[in-house]
Amino acid sequence: ISTMSSPSGQTPAATSAAVAKDDDSKPQQQSFKWPPLESNPEVFTSYLRGIGLPSTYQVGEIFGFDEELLAFIPQPVLGTVVCFERLKPKAEFNQLSNNGSADNYDKVQFYMHQSGTLDNACGIVACLHAVFNSPVVMTVDEESVLGKFQQRCLGVTPSQRCKELENDTDFMKAHKANAAKGQSRSIDRDQSKVKHHFIAYVLDKEGKNLVELDGTKAGPVIVGECSDVLRGSIQAIKGKLERGEISESLSMMTLGLTD
């Protein structure tokens, strides 16, 4: 769709609402603990590799929904990360769009919740959902930031995983450094300026169903039968657009292997 990218190459969602005007008359607000990230494959690839993702993996961009454009995307696609603007308040949006269920925790290898403390960490949470649910076995250096986090998350609940990320100062430091990268002006305070939200789509453990993973929901959302995460997630996003849940200001990225 035409809103997937702008003439400058910067996705509309990339700014995370930097388009809002500054108002110096407002009282100074506390800086974000986890500032919003630009929806930019280069930023995400650099971030993930910097914390321990093997160099054999990369984040790519989906430029449109047409088949001729999808044909250029390297295969296999292991998961997708979508950044969109909700057209409803978060609580209402989650209820209208299926809030997921804790009953679905065991349908995927990894799921974590996102708390208010992880204010704008949805971009990295979506990536963690894609990475740790990859159908391709991934060996992460256990001494890296990502590897240490992965080890602490083994066998614990989604809420405990959330707490682990909240308390991970090395992860937070890496996040803040990457939030300052990209083409858009970074936003380090004022939640009203943050308009976009990241989620991930993966296949379930059996590779038979598409699953939406959003840490702000009650649990994973089973979208339906699917064996192609790329085209399945595009159909899911088209459904959100048709139902008026999200605006056309969106971007989509893939988690895949390097050429």
Side-chain angles (χ1 to χ4, degrees), residues 47-192:
Y47 183 171
L48 290 170
R49 288 180 178 173
I51 60 174
L53 183 74
S55 60
T56 49
Y57 295 83
Q58 66 181 356
V59 177
E61 187 166 8
I62 299 173
F63 292 101
F65 294 164
D66 295 335
E67 279 297 324
E68 54 264 34
L69 294 174
L70 299 183
F72 289 101
I73 295 175
Q75 297 295 321
V77 172
L78 308 176
T80 62
V81 173
V82 188
C83 183
F84 56 69
E85 179 187 22
R86 299 185 186 105
L87 292 179
K88 303 284 185 181
K90 181 174 70 175
E92 183 181 353
F93 173 89
N94 285 353
Q95 292 299 329
L96 289 175
S97 64
N98 187 336
N99 198 34
S101 171
D103 293 338
N104 296 329
Y105 285 164
D106 63 353
K107 303 297 184 184
V108 292
Q109 297 287 349
F110 177 90
Y111 176 74
M112 66 175 287
H113 285 298
Q114 181 183 342
S115 64
T117 301
L118 296 175
D119 39 27
N120 293 294
C122 56
I124 191 60
V125 169
C127 285
L128 292 173
H129 281 144
V131 167
F132 291 145
N133 285 293
S134 167
V136 176
V137 177
M138 185 180 302
T139 303
V140 178
D141 180 1
E142 293 185 4
E143 293 305 310
S144 67
V145 171
L146 186 62
K148 289 178 181 178
F149 175 76
Q150 182 183 32
Q151 291 301 308
R152 295 196 307 273
C153 287
L154 294 175
V156 303
T157 68
S159 293
Q160 289 173 305
R161 289 167 180 162
C162 172
K163 186 63 67 176
E164 287 293 341
L165 188 57
E166 288 177 0
N167 296 329
D168 195 326
T169 54
D170 289 336
F171 213 136
M172 184 188 295
K173 183 184 298 184
H175 183 91
K176 287 183 175 180
N178 284 280
K181 296 179 180 179
Q183 300 176 32
S184 59
R185 175 174 61 85
S186 79
I187 302 171
D188 63 0
R189 64 188 74 236
D190 193 351
Q191 193 64 45
S192 68

Side-chain angles (χ1 to χ4, degrees), residues 25-63:
S25 65
K26 293 182 179 179
Q28 192 78 348
Q29 300 186 35
Q30 186 175 2
S31 297
F32 295 136
K33 293 183 177 179
W34 297 79
L37 297 168
E38 177 175 293
S39 183
N40 179 322
E42 293 182 359
V43 171
F44 274 77
T45 296
S46 174
Y47 183 171
L48 290 170
R49 288 180 178 173
I51 60 174
L53 183 74
S55 60
T56 49
Y57 295 83
Q58 66 181 356
V59 177
E61 187 166 8
I62 299 173
F63 292 101

